């Protein structure tokens, strides 16, 4: 009698109207260099009518690894199929593979090895875009062990990561089926925060993010109100799990920058008055609850300025700023305080009618460094200033004059 061994990784594929992309997706699973005995596939056909279900059945009949195919009525989003797959998974790790994307041949072998070697709970494999832009800022170098605060991984919150199943089971983690966009951001951020370490595999393309020619990719569809739902859920998760302070601010930059700010970009110029009013209305409680000076400092000037106007409920001032940003002009720089302060002259700068504080226009060092004449204030400037004040006080009182 043979005893079934636990697979190292369960690949969960949710498929809905995924043809013909599903063919290449499954071929990339079949081509994995990891021993097929270490792998299982759980594929959920979410009510497809284009032959995706039949394609999965054919794959199951020929594949060298264990394959389970589940066919169900359409659930309306990616969360349902992923949760069904997660409930069936037996692997030490799970990997969520979208049916229109594909894996690099050594992806699973390398990611499992990385997780095992470092004892980490989440492994990110390098993502490359095919007819689509992929996230880039987190692939600078391979990191055996990092976390969400000291790396750029907060800017990739898609579900296509390797997750240790014990972590997900311990905390009862599942995808939020009430969200129709951003559900993976919520799941992945929670995993980052709960993980006993995260690994980044940056020197091998593990995942190919494929842009669909038919425009049916989930991130391209949906009402703007869904984006606010997504931002609200992610902000609440971060606030619930991370105490107020610099660490929370670091993470809050992500939903403000990636989810909320685009609602106040070029599209805002073509929105009718009712939609503009509604967007400001939806943003108001989010700005009141989570917008802080620490979050503001984590943004570029034009990003900070737009969100400040949203926070102040000044929709009449926003179009001028959006038009300026859309024109891709470089804002003029004003250097003050011997070059240690740089202000960028975006619309409404020092306008009495607008009343926007100068600090909103002040560039942080990473943005100010490109301007000729900028001098980064030394870290001990405050101490030097305090020391000079003490010396002046002592001289005024008659102390220290002999040494002078």
């Amino acid at each position: 009698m043979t005893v079934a061994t636990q697979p190292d990784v369960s690949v969960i594929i949710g498929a809905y109207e995924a043809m013909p992309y599903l063919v290449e997706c499954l071929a990339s699973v079949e081509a994995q260099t990891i021993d097929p005995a270490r792998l299982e596939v759980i594929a959920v056909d979410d009510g497809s009518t284009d032959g995706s279900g039949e394609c999965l059945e054919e794959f199951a009949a020929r594949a060298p690894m264990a394959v389970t195919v589940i066919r169900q009525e359409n659930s309306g989003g990616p969360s349902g199929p992923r949760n069904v797959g997660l409930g069936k998974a037996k692997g030490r790790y799970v990997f969520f593979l979208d049916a229109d994307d594909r894996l690099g041949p050594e992806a699973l072998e390398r990611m499992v090895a990385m997780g095992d070697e470092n004892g980490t709970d989440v492994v990110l494999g390098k993502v490359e875009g095919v007819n689509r832009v992929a996230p880039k800022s987190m692939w600078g170098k391979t990191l055996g062990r990092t976390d969400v605060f000291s790396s750029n991984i907060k800017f990739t919150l898609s579900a296509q990561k390797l997750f240790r199943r014990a972590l997900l089971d311990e905390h009862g983690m599942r995808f939020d089926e009430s969200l129709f966009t951003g559900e993976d951001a919520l799941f992945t951020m929670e995993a980052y925060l709960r993980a006993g370490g995260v690994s980044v595999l940056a020197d091998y393309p593990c995942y190919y993010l494929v842009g669909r020619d038919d425009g049916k990719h989930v991130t391209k569809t949906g009402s703007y109100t869904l984006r606010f739902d997504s931002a609200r859920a992610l902000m609440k998760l971060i606030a619930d799990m991370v105490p107020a302070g610099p660490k929370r601010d670091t993470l809050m930059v992500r939903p403000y920058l990636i989810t909320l700010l685009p609602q106040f970009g070029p599209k805002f110029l073509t929105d009718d008055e009712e939609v503009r009013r509604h967007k400001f209305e939806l943003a108001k409680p989010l700005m009141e609850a989570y917008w802080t000076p620490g979050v503001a400092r984590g943004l570029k000037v034009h990003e900070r300025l737009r969100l400040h106007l949203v926070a102040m409920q000044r929709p009449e001032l926003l179009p001028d700023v959006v038009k300026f940003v859309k024109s891709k002009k470089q804002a003029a720089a004003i250097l003050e305080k011997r070059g240690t302060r740089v202000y960028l002259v975006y619309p409404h700068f020092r306008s009495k009618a607008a009343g926007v504080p100068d600090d909103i226009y002040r560039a942080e060092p990473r943005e100010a460094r490109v301007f000729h004449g900028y001098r980064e204030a030394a870290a001990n400037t405050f101490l030097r200033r305090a020391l000079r004040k003490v010396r002046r006080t002592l001289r005024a009182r008659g102390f220290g004059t002999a040494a002078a």
Side-chain angles (χ1 to χ4, degrees):
M1 183 176 114
T2 57
V3 179
T5 56
Q6 182 186 27
D8 282 336
V9 59
S10 302
V11 178
I12 297 171
I13 305 172
Y16 174 67
E17 309 291 44
M19 298 296 284
Y21 303 92
L22 181 58
V23 175
E24 281 197 52
C25 171
L26 296 175
S28 78
V29 175
E30 209 166 358
Q32 289 301 295
T33 55
I34 195 169
D35 184 341
R38 298 171 59 196
L39 176 63
E40 70 167 356
V41 176
I42 301 165
V44 182
D45 171 35
D46 199 35
S48 300
T49 60
D50 67 345
S52 292
E54 289 75 15
C55 181
L56 292 173
E57 300 278 12
E58 288 166 12
F59 174 72
R62 71 164 192 274
M65 70 283 295
V67 180
T68 301
V69 177
I70 298 160
R71 302 185 72 169
Q72 63 181 34
E73 293 292 314
N74 182 251
S75 65
S79 294
R82 286 174 182 161
N83 286 340
V84 168
L86 196 47
K88 301 280 186 185
K90 299 183 182 72
R92 293 189 298 118
Y93 297 96
V94 296
F95 188 92
F96 298 99
L97 171 60
D98 279 2
D100 39 17
D101 298 332
R102 56 182 184 263
L103 295 166
E106 299 173 25
L108 296 177
E109 186 173 19
R110 285 174 178 252
M111 284 192 285
V112 168
M114 178 71 100
D116 285 350
E117 184 181 332
N118 296 286
T120 45
D121 291 327
V122 185
V123 181
L124 285 68
K126 185 178 183 181
V127 178
E128 290 192 357
V130 179
N131 301 321
R132 192 173 166 196
V133 177
K136 292 182 174 62
S137 66
M138 61 295 305
W139 310 124
K141 62 183 286 192
T142 290
L143 302 169
R145 176 174 283 270
T146 187
D147 60 58
V148 72
F149 302 107
S150 51
S151 67
N152 266 345
I153 64 172
K154 66 178 176 288
F155 290 114
T156 174
L157 296 183
S158 60
Q160 294 81 39
K161 318 278 187 285
L162 191 77
F163 298 93
R164 192 177 294 274
R165 191 165 62 87
L167 174 79
L168 309 183
D169 288 349
E170 180 186 348
H171 299 286
M173 287 180 57
R174 292 295 184 269
F175 291 89
D176 186 339
E177 295 184 33
S178 72
L179 290 175
F180 291 96
T181 183
E183 75 295 326
D184 48 355
L186 208 61
F187 181 93
T188 304
M189 179 63 84
E190 182 177 352
Y192 286 165
L193 287 168
R194 295 195 184 283
V198 178
S199 296
V200 178
L201 206 163
D203 53 3
Y204 179 82
C206 291
Y207 197 87
Y208 293 92
L209 196 64
V210 179
R212 290 179 65 143
D213 298 327
D214 58 13
K216 285 185 181 176
H217 196 277
V218 68
T219 56
K220 293 184 180 178
T221 60
S223 155
Y224 67 87
T225 58
L226 299 180
R227 311 292 167 175
F228 284 93
D229 292 343
S230 173
R232 187 182 306 111
L234 185 54
M235 288 175 180
K236 184 180 185 304
L237 173 85
I238 292 168
D240 286 348
M241 294 190 68
V242 184
K247 283 190 167 185
R248 182 194 286 182
D249 290 342
T250 295
L251 299 189
M252 281 292 182
V253 164
R254 199 275 179 194
Y256 275 112
L257 183 62
I258 305 299
T259 313
L260 204 64
L261 188 63
Q263 305 312 312
F264 303 99
K267 178 71 177 68
F268 189 80
L269 299 175
T270 59
D271 289 335
D272 62 38
E273 282 305 316
E274 189 178 342
V275 170
R276 288 185 180 187
R277 179 191 56 73
H278 192 211
K279 284 184 172 181
F280 266 74
E281 217 172 73
L282 290 169
K284 190 171 189 284
L286 304 182
M287 304 308 292
E288 288 173 349
Y290 308 118
W291 179 247
T292 66
V295 176
R297 281 194 298 272
L299 300 170
K300 292 179 180 176
V301 170
H302 74 84
E303 297 161 348
R304 183 190 312 137
L305 173 58
R306 281 186 279 161
L307 286 171
H308 173 79
L309 296 177
V310 173
M312 294 296 103
Q313 294 286 293
R314 300 292 299 276
E316 76 282 5
L317 299 180
L318 186 59
D320 290 340
V321 180
V322 176
K323 285 174 192 169
F324 189 96
V325 174
K326 189 181 175 187
S327 73
K328 299 193 186 305
K329 292 178 191 168
Q330 172 61 64
I334 293 177
L335 277 72
E336 295 181 354
K337 300 283 184 182
R338 298 181 181 177
T340 60
R341 286 188 189 174
V342 176
Y343 297 98
L344 300 186
V345 186
Y346 284 99
H348 313 301
F349 178 63
R350 289 179 178 167
S351 154
K352 286 185 180 177
V356 180
D358 278 8
D359 272 0
I360 300 298
Y361 295 87
R362 184 176 170 183
E364 290 295 307
R366 65 184 177 282
E367 194 175 3
R369 287 183 191 116
V370 301
F371 295 99
H372 180 70
Y374 169 66
R375 292 170 54 238
E376 202 158 336
N380 61 351
T381 299
F382 174 78
L383 292 174
R384 288 206 309 268
R385 199 178 299 138
L387 200 57
R388 282 199 298 269
K389 189 174 180 181
V390 169
R391 284 173 181 154
R392 283 197 300 271
T393 303
L394 290 173
R395 287 193 192 104
R397 293 176 179 175
F399 294 103
T401 48

